Amino acid sequence: METDPVFFTDRSGRITSNPLLDQLPSYQSLLYRRKSSASSNKRRNSSRGRLGSSSSGKWGMSTFTRPLEKQKSQVTEQQPIRELAKPMAEKRRDKTQRLEEAQELSNWRQWRRSSRRYLRRLKDDTQEWLSSMKLWRGDIHLIEGMFGTGILSYFSFLRFLVVLNLIIFLIKFIFVMFPIIVAPYASGNITYNLNDAGVCSVYPSSARRGLVIFHEHITDLLSGGGFLEQTYLFYGFYKVDKIHFTNVTYNLALAYLLSTIAYLSLSLIWIVKRSARGFKRNLVQDEDRFQSFCNKIFAGWDFCITNENAARLKRSSLLYELRTDLEEERIKQKIADRTRKDKCRIYLIRLILNLFVIGVLAGCFYSIYIATVFSQEAQMTKVNFIVDLIYEYLPSIVITVANFITPLLFSVIINYEDYSPAFEIRFTLMRCVFMRLTSIAVLLFSLWSQITNCEKECVCGYNHLLYSCWETRVGQEMYKLTIFDFITIVAVTIFVEFPRKLLVKHCDCGLAKWWGQQEFAIPQNVLEIVYGQTICWIGTFFCPMLPAICTIKYFFIFYIKKVSLIKNCRPATRPFRASSSNFFFLGVLLIGLALACLPVTVSVAQINCSHACGPFVNFNTSWEVLPTTVSQLPSGAQNLLFALSSEAFAVSFFVVTCLAMFYVIALAGAHKRVINQLREQLAMEGRDKRFLIQKLCQAQRLSPVRSPVSKSQPRRGSRSSPSYHTSFSSNFNEGVFLAHSPPDSSTHV
Amino acid sequence: MGTTASQLDKDLLSEYQELTFLTKQEILLAHKRFSELLSKDERNFENTRVSMERILTLPELKSNPFRERICHVFSTSDQKNGSLTFEDFLDLLSAFSDSATLEIKSHYAFRIFDFDDDGTLDCGDLEKLVNCLTGETDDTRLTTDEMRQLINNILEESDIDKDGTVNLSEFQHVISRSPDFVSSFKIVL
């Protein structure tokens, strides 16, 4: 017999129903939804027949017909057909039905409907075109199929950074470099910065004279000195003050400063926008579990995996993750049971280990400082080619070595600190992030101390004897860091990962088995590229072509990592979820951006800009160009700008923002309370309903109702004879199910 | 209505575009892949039904632990044997596409996870679900204690009316708060 989608048959195949329970409002509304959708004739007949059999059924129906029907037709008008969960044939029928209904509407409504449909189709086409323009679609699809969504998020993050760097470079190019290049062709008159009288504006040329040996070119290329120093690459070249075109004067100094502010704000806005999608969902959860079990089970399988091997690995990693999480729950219980003595001991151990970690970090930072100072001093004297190069790259080498050793140290130490597994991972990661990003800060700080360190009083505000153009020197350091970072990544891939794979594959000794195949550790890889991006953000002010170099660098890193992943690596044992990884990546990137803003702000506002080179020769600090320009504006605009930057405006803006924030927090708290109350109410209502239905069934059994289908009722003793109405967990003999809406029907209420 | 020998005609293509979430390229690609599953003489018939075994040879479905459930859910055959026509196949791809709404995805996910087709996810369904995820052999399953602990945790998080089962509304509620669902519930040819 046909399976009725509304009534579920019991094991013997008989449809059981209860005439009294058929009148329940929830059941009636369900029947309505079933009836008014374009179901097949057979079903329509049978359901009508059923309704006809219950005597008071018709009455029960009519009171509910009209409002529900109206609601239903309103709903279906707004909702596009493809959002209904039905098979294609039914959707087609719905569409023809809607077209028929549309004929009855007024012209205005018809036009509105068709225009809405047209706009929707246009939007779909534009989205399709945009997504076909995305870089590396095929490669990412392949990686997704082989490794799942966790590793995929790393590669899409890399793609995001390539595009971001490209846009930053375009901003710098259009506003700073392009006017200079185009000025001779557009009949522009360039005014250069006048030489200030005095010793500060002496800029000895560093170009090599005479016969230049070939390896000196290589040194220059790798260190940014020599022939590269006086090119578009570095700040010092942009000695232009203003460019006078026929109608307009282009203030290059102002453009340089504003483009710096522009690219930092653009990066901030874009990152926040990208992370807003993930944040919303994370913040709405009101559980203290960061990863819920439901998320792991219901969204645990990546349906995009096409590789059999990857599927097997995914299964084992899911098993490992579930086991670890279940164990973590047990550990939490154990932690709660700790005695006082245990707690003291553990806190003492943690204190000692944290002091040790701080000591190690201090040691690393001090060695970076010493290396930077030594490198700066050693650059004055030339020994020979190789040693010179090593002295130039000494800070980078020290930073890289420190960043290699400290994660290993941290992961060993964390085992003794006795935290829960999830917290261990997060804490180690935080320590590594701190280490990476602070090492850049220490490098810059040591550079700054060198620059402002004069024997006597600093005449120009900086040490003009050693650093006639200090911004270019800082730019060169950033350039060296970028190059060295790239070389390190390539070298590690070629000289460590490939041999490791060969060793593990062909050699059967114990060492190979213990070392094992390379795991693609997402956190470490992400920290690497965030480190590179932070350097790029800092360095763009001093070296305007650095974003272009970074774009090319990340472009090559994508292919290198992809090849390394496919050939050498196996997926990590503990899976990295896509959602939490987006949260982590963008969070670390924001920290990097905040860190990058600091040195740029200090350089722009605090340190005197060099008087021998660059666009800001006529000003004391780079920031001064803004107030000077503002004072040349018409007085109306000046007053407005002064008002906006006055204290009164700032304080009132701050107060208004605080009020808005408090209001929103209070609202969220109130909603949470209401949600909890409603949950309790729902559970209570469910229990009431089950109780009443149980009593009703008992009462019906004692005095059976005469109705054609009720003959089957006395035999309903089997535990699992289902009918629509209520569900019991398995305590009662009438095992029936509460299905709010059976899955075949449209779910939209 | 159906598919002619090797091409879809334009009206049919635009109709499919309207009724599903797929783009034109995706529909054409789906048509190509579906035709590869058919034998030469089957291609000339309209609305041919492809058996489940042949559908499961597609690489996108072959390694998926839920492949049989997927075929059963999207199949419109009267014999309930999981066979799919081309339109069923398009429905499948539409529900799993990038632009499908969360509601559609969660609706179909519920039906896929409901192994006994009774409209709710009870302990038996959840246990089969976890076993599919971790593997079918004995050494890859969770122990009974672990399974019980896991199912208790899941029900605690998702069962709002405390009836011991997860119905569709509760499932959709918990999915709307799950950040990974949209990115993992995706099949692209």
Side-chain angles (χ1 to χ4, degrees), chain A residues 398-500:
Chain A
V398 171
I399 291 181
T400 309
V401 167
N403 281 320
F404 178 70
I405 296 179
T406 40
L408 297 171
L409 199 64
F410 292 155
S411 56
V412 165
I413 287 179
I414 200 92
N415 288 329
Y416 296 102
E417 286 182 310
D418 207 7
Y419 291 115
S420 63
F423 187 72
E424 267 182 19
I425 295 178
R426 259 181 269 158
F427 198 45
T428 317
L429 221 50
M430 277 298 113
R431 281 176 173 160
C432 292
V433 167
F434 179 71
M435 173 70 211
R436 278 249 182 205
L437 296 179
T438 321
S439 50
I440 305 178
V442 170
L443 173 71
L444 287 168
F445 174 76
S446 45
L447 266 179
W448 181 45
S449 68
Q450 283 294 97
I451 290 172
T452 51
N453 176 30
C454 319
E455 279 161 11
K456 294 175 292 233
E457 181 71 33
C458 278
V459 174
C460 313
Y462 57 92
N463 190 343
H464 63 272
L465 292 166
L466 293 174
Y467 300 99
S468 42
C469 189
W470 63 266
E471 287 100 342
T472 305
R473 292 299 288 277
V474 175
Q476 282 170 337
E477 288 299 325
M478 296 291 117
Y479 173 78
K480 279 186 268 189
L481 277 178
T482 309
I483 300 279
F484 191 70
D485 188 40
F486 182 57
I487 292 177
T488 314
I489 293 179
V490 173
V492 164
T493 310
I494 295 181
F495 295 118
V496 174
E497 294 188 7
F498 274 108
R500 179 170 174 174

Side-chain angles (χ1 to χ4, degrees), chain A residues 275-294:
Chain A
S275 53
R277 273 178 268 139
F279 272 13
K280 250 190 274 183
R281 289 209 193 103
N282 271 345
L283 288 176
V284 163
Q285 275 179 328
D286 55 331
E287 331 232 327
D288 30 48
R289 273 190 272 246
F290 184 62
Q291 304 267 17
S292 72
F293 280 106
C294 281

Side-chain angles (χ1 to χ4, degrees), chain A residues 628-662:
Chain A
T628 320
T629 321
V630 165
S631 61
Q632 287 166 1
L633 287 175
S635 64
Q638 264 190 52
N639 286 339
L640 179 68
L641 285 172
F642 283 148
L644 281 179
S645 56
S646 65
E647 287 99 8
F649 180 76
V651 167
S652 40
F653 183 69
F654 179 68
V655 167
V656 166
T657 314
C658 279
L659 281 177
M661 200 171 67
F662 285 137

Side-chain angles (χ1 to χ4, degrees), chain A residues 177-224:
Chain A
M177 295 182 221
F178 189 65
I180 298 181
I181 295 173
V182 118
Y185 305 102
S187 63
N189 190 9
I190 304 183
T191 52
Y192 288 94
N193 286 315
L194 299 169
N195 262 338
D196 224 0
V199 72
C200 301
S201 53
V202 170
Y203 190 10
S205 164
S206 60
R208 297 178 190 275
R209 291 180 217 277
L211 193 64
V212 178
I213 313 176
F214 175 69
H215 67 71
E216 286 181 354
H217 280 303
I218 306 238
T219 319
D220 285 347
L221 196 66
L222 287 174
S223 65

